[in-house]
């Protein structure tokens, strides 16, 4: 037994049971430790170095411009997610929720062409790992350096899925490199490559996909086929028609859906012929009504064109088949079928034998699929109509989908009128499809409705979803209008106890959030004026200088001298 093993044995058993040579009694433990220290130094000094690890590949260049200094500090705070402590009792408090503002900040920074600071990349990837909703904005902002870094940490491997494996994709025009990656790359790399080529040249993307189509797995064919949605045109029809005979049912269904979105396709013509044979206009005693005769069977031709024969549980077969035919038929075929009537005139016609719900629902799906604004307007009807549906809708979810096909300004006006007629309790889904920031008529309608709810004395909890949307979507210009609502209102006899305090707190948070959003955009609009490397290395010495004093006491934040990273720049730069 060598000297080191003897020391270990004495330490494990104790010097009483296994005395250390050269010492006894009370001095034995100290002698043992001294000997162990000497042997440790000797062992380390005599250790032969192992083979050197291969050097890491250098991080790729990111040609985007560096962030302004104030925006870098803002990013550190948002990634840290610090906000003022919320009051007890489950209340959110009056401070802005920084975690909700991070996606907006990332999107704005990426749109302005900024690159992520190298020091912030680990925290950015950690945030994206914890929040799947944050990943698209975070990875776009992280850029090629973020993907390079993600390859070095297994916890960040999510960033490599669908991103080309963390490396830069070849230029779409580099035919040799594109062919090599398409033949030899991982699935995520191939998905990203196909999307890039398709965006640059739709025909070349389709040719690339066709070159290996017959050898792809069914699940891969489905994912690749979905990439044809971008830039879909009549030139894709031949490929999609061939996919209708694919051995995978899901691939066939997706091909049929894409073909039905091309009103001039042969499949759309076949579906139109079938659909119009089931729906006609009948005149009885001077009154006109739509008459429906649903299919009696789902023949082989219908199934080849994507009609699913077996209905879901609770659905009748004939109504299920009819809905699929009408949904896939080009909407222009109905003008000829109904003597040149416009969409609003067609949906206003009565439908016999309780077929109206099924027929109108299929028209709604067709309008969304074909992005037809005229039919969407007709099916939406007046925003003052009952909340459960307009002329052709049976739910607010359907109305939200139809609204998504309208121009942004028209969408905002329609939802503003809906809120004016029905209030906010039914408007959450509709607000979710409106462009951000909300246009002035919509923003004003939301603020007015919140004011009415506040004056009614009810608790604001039922409006928490809308209030959260307002914090993210209202224009910061609305802050002055909301300032008057932050005061504590006088409680009436029929008001819920304490509701006024809750509303005051909620409006304070809303105003503070809008002001903070305005500050964030102003910081991003500032000129950089310095190289990123020098800015990051010198950040630790900026505490107390002009850059720090300009940020003191921002809306919803408090600068406490004792909080690391809040008042001292060195704390933030080290994260």
């Amino acid at each position: 037994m060598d000297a080191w093993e003897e020391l270990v044995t004495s330490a494990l058993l104790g010097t009483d049971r296994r005395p250390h040579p050269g010492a006894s009694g009370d001095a034995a433990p100290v002698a043992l430790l001294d000997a162990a220290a000497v042997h440790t130094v000797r062992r380390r000094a005599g250790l032969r170095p192992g083979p050197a690890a291969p050097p890491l590949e250098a991080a790729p260049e990111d040609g985007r411009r560096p962030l302004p200094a104030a925006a870098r500090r803002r990013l550190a705070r948002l990634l840290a997610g610090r906000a003022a402590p919320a009051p007890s009792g489950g209340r959110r408090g009056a401070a802005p929720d920084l975690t909700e503002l991070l996606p907006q900040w990332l999107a704005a920074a990426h749109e302005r062409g900024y690159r992520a600071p190298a020091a912030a990349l680990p925290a950015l990837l950690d945030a994206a790992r914890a929040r799947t909703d944050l990943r698209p904005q975070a990875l776009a902002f992280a850029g090629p350096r973020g993907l390079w870094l993600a390859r070095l940490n297994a916890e960040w491997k999510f960033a490599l899925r669908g991103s080309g494996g963390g490396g830069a994709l070849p230029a779409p025009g580099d035919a040799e490199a594109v062919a090599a990656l398409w033949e030899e790359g991982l699935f995520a790399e191939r998905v990203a490559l196909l999307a890039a080529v398709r965006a640059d040249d739709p025909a070349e993307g389709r040719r690339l996909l066709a070159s290996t189509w017959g050898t792809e797995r069914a699940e891969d064919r489905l994912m690749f086929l979905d990439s044809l949605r971008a830039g879909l045109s009549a030139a894709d029809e031949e490929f999609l028609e061939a996919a209708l005979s694919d051995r995978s049912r899901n691939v066939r269904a997706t091909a049929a859906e894409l073909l039905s979105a091309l009103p001039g396709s042969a499949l759309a013509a076949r579906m139109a012929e079938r659909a119009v044979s089931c729906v006609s206009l009948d005149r009885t005693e001077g009154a006109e009504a739509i008459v429906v005769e649903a299919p009696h069977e789902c023949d082989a031709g219908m199934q080849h064109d994507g009609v699913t024969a077996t209905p879901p549980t609770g659905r009748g077969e004939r109504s299920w088949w009819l809905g699929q035919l009408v949904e896939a038929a080009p909407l222009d075929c109905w003008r000829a079928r109904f003597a040149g009537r416009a969409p609003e005139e067609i949906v206003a016609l009565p439908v016999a034998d309780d077929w109206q719900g099924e027929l109108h629902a299929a028209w709604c799906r067709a309008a969304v699929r074909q992005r037809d604004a005229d039919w969407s307007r007709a099916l939406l009807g007046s925003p003052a109509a009952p909340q459960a549906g307009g002329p052709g809708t049976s739910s607010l979810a359907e109305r939200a989908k139809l609204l998504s096909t309208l121009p942004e300004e028209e969408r905002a006006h329609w939802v503003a009128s809906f809120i004016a007629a029905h209030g906010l309790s039914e408007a959450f889904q509709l607000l979710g499809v409106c462009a951000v920031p909300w246009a002035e008529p919509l923003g004003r309608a939301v603020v007015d409705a919140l004011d009415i709810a506040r004056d009614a004395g009810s608790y604001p909890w039922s409006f928490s979803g809308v209030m959260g949307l307002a914090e993210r979507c209202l224009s910061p210009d609305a802050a002055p209008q909301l300032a008057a609502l932050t005061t504590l209102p006088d409680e009436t006899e029929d008001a819920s106890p304490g509701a006024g305090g809750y509303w005051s707190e909620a409006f304070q948070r809303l105003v503070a959030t809008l002001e903070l959003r305005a500050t964030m955009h102003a910081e991003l609009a500032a000129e950089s004026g310095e190289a990123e490397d020098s800015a990051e290395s010198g950040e630790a010495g900026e505490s107390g200088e002009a850059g720090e004093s300009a940020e003191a006491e921002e809306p919803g934040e408090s600068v406490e001298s004792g909080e690391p990273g809040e008042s001292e720049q060195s704390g933030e730069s080290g994260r």
Side-chain angles (χ1 to χ4, degrees), residues 64 67 74-75 78-79 99-114 116-117 120 123-125 127-128 131 133-142 520-521 524:
R64 296 174 295 178
L67 279 169
R74 178 67 59 198
L75 173 61
L78 293 175
L79 287 173
T99 60
E100 291 298 321
L101 293 177
L102 180 57
Q104 232 179 71
W105 188 98
L106 291 172
H110 179 62
E111 288 171 4
R112 291 178 180 272
Y114 290 119
L124 190 61
L125 290 171
R131 293 178 54 183
D133 64 306
L134 195 64
R135 290 180 183 178
Q137 302 97 323
L139 295 181
F141 182 57
M520 285 165 38
H521 284 283
L524 288 169

Side-chain angles (χ1 to χ4, degrees), residues 18 46 107 128 130 149 164 172 181 199 211 213 245 263 273 279 283 294 344 366 407 411 425 492 501-502 517 549:
R18 187 67 175 264
L149 188 61
L181 184 59
S211 67
W213 180 258
S245 301
E273 183 179 356
V279 182
R283 182 184 295 273
E344 60 269 16
R411 206 182 307 168
S425 58
T492 59
Y502 281 95
R517 282 175 51 206
S549 61

Side-chain angles (χ1 to χ4, degrees), residues 156-517:
W156 298 333
K157 62 183 179 181
F158 69 88
L160 307 180
R161 301 182 191 128
S163 65
L169 294 174
D174 188 346
E176 184 176 348
V178 166
L181 184 59
W182 182 250
E183 291 288 343
E184 303 170 5
L186 301 174
F187 176 68
E189 294 174 322
R190 300 177 74 214
V191 169
L193 177 65
L194 180 60
V197 174
R198 179 73 177 173
D200 180 73
D201 184 348
E204 181 60 24
R206 184 178 61 252
R207 188 206 62 76
L208 187 68
L209 179 56
S211 67
T212 58
W213 180 258
T215 61
E216 304 288 356
R217 300 183 306 167
E219 55 267 34
D220 294 351
R221 293 199 303 276
L222 183 62
M223 290 287 291
F224 290 143
L225 191 64
D226 200 59
S227 69
L228 297 185
R229 295 181 189 276
L232 184 67
S233 69
D236 300 316
E237 181 179 358
E238 182 179 355
F239 181 84
L240 293 172
E241 275 284 346
L244 289 176
S245 301
D246 194 271
R247 55 188 180 274
S248 166
R249 179 175 61 84
N250 290 333
V251 172
R252 295 195 302 270
T254 301
E257 179 188 346
L258 292 173
L259 283 168
S260 66
L262 295 171
S265 67
L267 178 138
R270 296 193 296 270
M271 288 299 198
E273 183 179 356
R274 295 177 180 122
V276 298
S277 69
C278 298
V279 182
S280 60
L281 187 63
D282 183 58
R283 182 184 295 273
T284 304
E285 299 179 357
E288 292 181 318
I290 296 176
V291 177
V292 175
E293 181 65 29
H296 290 273
E297 64 172 343
C298 184
D299 57 33
M302 290 168 60
Q303 294 184 50
H304 174 269
D305 285 344
V307 176
T308 303
T310 304
T313 303
R315 289 289 302 274
E317 285 185 335
R318 297 181 64 197
S319 64
W320 172 243
W321 299 332
L322 173 74
Q324 293 179 80
L325 295 180
V326 173
E327 177 182 356
L331 290 163
D332 288 345
C333 73
W334 301 111
R335 184 181 292 272
R337 186 61 168 167
F338 295 113
R341 286 178 170 84
E344 60 269 16
E345 296 174 303
I346 295 174
V347 299
L349 290 168
V351 183
D353 300 327
D354 296 327
W355 280 103
Q356 177 169 317
E358 188 68 47
L359 181 61
H360 283 193
W363 278 338
C364 285
R365 296 192 297 272
V368 173
R369 179 182 295 187
Q370 299 172 36
R371 313 304 295 173
D372 193 307
D374 290 335
W375 271 88
S376 292
R377 292 187 190 97
L379 293 162
L380 276 167
S382 168
Q387 299 96 312
T393 54
S394 59
S395 70
L396 287 167
E398 286 181 342
R399 281 187 159 188
K401 292 177 182 178
L402 291 170
L403 278 169
S404 68
T405 69
L406 301 183
E408 292 181 358
E409 185 176 353
E410 182 179 356
R411 206 182 307 168
H413 278 277
W414 198 96
V415 178
S417 299
F418 180 93
I419 292 173
H422 306 293
L424 288 171
S425 58
E426 302 290 341
F428 184 80
Q429 287 178 293
L430 306 181
L431 288 169
V433 299
C434 292
V436 178
W438 291 334
E440 173 54 28
L442 178 56
R444 185 170 58 252
V446 171
V447 172
D448 290 344
L450 289 172
D451 190 12
I452 292 171
R454 169 181 175 268
D455 290 342
S458 59
Y459 284 118
W461 300 326
S462 57
F463 300 97
S464 60
V466 174
M467 190 68 79
L469 273 179
E471 291 173 14
R472 299 188 297 273
C473 303
L474 265 178
S475 170
D477 296 337
Q481 180 187 357
L482 290 161
L485 303 179
T486 60
T487 58
L488 189 65
D490 296 330
E491 293 190 1
T492 59
E493 293 183 358
D494 56 346
S496 302
Y502 281 95
W503 276 109
S504 175
E505 192 176 86
F507 279 117
Q508 289 175 36
R509 182 175 62 253
L510 178 55
V511 171
T513 302
L514 296 180
E515 292 176 345
L516 181 54
R517 282 175 51 206

